[in-house]
């Protein structure tokens, strides 16, 4: 007996995707196998480590929210917009976050880095919409990436890089 299929229309990194998929196909597998986007990583497979984090918008004007690509079926993405780490920058033109991570040597093996990048990008989006007081910045960083697991223990450098990129953009932090 064949698996049930569903037709889904959504966007990935600004491009429309129309596909028919099994109802239980995880987003991480679709991104890697069907779209060739290998930046989103599969690690634990149960959403604990957060290496597979992507940004999801349910509506064009909504704030991006973290989505765990390892445990989210593509079938549930109808009408949503997904941004992966490839949608934030490139080797030739890294995003501000990617450059800050490079400048601060904020990773060792790099396996968890895409999840940290995506969480940081969403933190920046929230701060652009609603700046916070400087004394709340460390707590906001911890809230954004505190559940992400880095097996190489690069947490201090990730936090330093995130703090630097937030402080470099005017208007995100108030006195």
């Amino acid at each position: 007996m064949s698996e049930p299929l569903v037709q889904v229309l959504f966007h990935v990194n600004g491009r429309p995707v129309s596909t028919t998929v099994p109802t239980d196909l995880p987003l991480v597998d679709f991104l890697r196998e069907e779209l060739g986007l290998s930046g989103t990583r599969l690690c634990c497979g149960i959403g604990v480590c957060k290496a597979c984090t992507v940004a999801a918008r349910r509506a064009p004007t909504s704030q991006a929210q973290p989505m765990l690509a390892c445990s989210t079926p593509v079938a549930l993405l109808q009408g949503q917009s997904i941004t992966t780490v490839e949608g934030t920058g490139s080797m030739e033109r890294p995003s501000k976050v990617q450059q800050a991570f490079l400048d601060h040597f904020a990773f060792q093996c790099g396996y968890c880095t895409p999840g940290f990048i995506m969480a940081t990008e969403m933190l920046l989006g929230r701060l652009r919409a609603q700046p916070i007081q400087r004394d709340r910045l460390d707590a906001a960083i911890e809230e954004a990436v505190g559940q992400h697991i880095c097996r190489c223990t690069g947490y201090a450098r990730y936090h330093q890089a995130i703090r630097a990129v937030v402080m470099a953009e005017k208007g995100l932090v108030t006195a």
Side-chain angles (χ1 to χ4, degrees), residues 1-171:
M1 186 160 115
S2 65
E3 224 174 312
L5 300 176
V6 63
Q7 175 75 30
V8 184
L9 175 61
F10 62 109
H11 287 79
V12 175
N13 298 333
R15 294 189 172 146
V17 175
S18 180
T19 187
T20 302
V21 295
T23 56
D24 64 348
L25 177 68
L27 176 58
V28 69
D29 291 344
F30 183 81
L31 292 171
R32 297 177 72 81
E33 295 169 15
E34 299 300 321
L35 300 183
L37 299 173
S38 60
T40 302
R41 306 295 170 85
L42 176 64
C43 190
C44 72
I46 57 172
V48 172
C49 71
K50 313 286 188 278
C52 66
T53 300
V54 298
R57 291 182 194 277
R58 297 196 190 284
T61 58
S62 67
Q63 192 69 248
Q65 298 296 317
M67 178 180 282
L68 301 175
C70 73
S71 58
T72 301
V74 174
L76 298 180
L77 300 179
Q78 184 66 37
Q80 295 191 46
S81 293
I82 305 300
T83 303
T84 69
V85 70
E86 290 92 348
T88 66
S90 67
M91 293 290 284
E92 299 79 26
R93 296 182 60 115
S95 72
K96 289 186 260 183
V97 172
Q98 291 167 333
Q99 190 61 55
F101 281 27
L102 289 168
D103 293 345
H104 287 83
F105 303 103
F107 53 88
Q108 289 181 37
C109 80
Y111 202 84
C112 65
T113 304
F116 276 92
I117 288 172
M118 296 310 301
T120 303
E121 293 283 357
M122 287 178 275
L123 171 62
L124 291 173
R126 288 190 300 277
L127 294 178
R128 287 177 187 126
Q130 186 171 4
I132 61 169
Q133 292 183 347
R134 184 182 310 260
D135 65 350
R136 288 273 309 127
L137 179 56
D138 289 329
I141 293 170
E142 181 62 24
E143 184 179 317
V145 298
Q147 297 297 311
H148 287 247
I149 295 174
C150 172
R151 300 198 187 284
C152 299
T153 66
Y155 299 111
R157 288 185 178 171
Y158 277 123
H159 282 248
Q160 291 166 358
I162 295 166
R163 182 175 245 289
V165 78
V166 168
M167 294 304 292
E169 187 173 325
K170 293 190 185 319

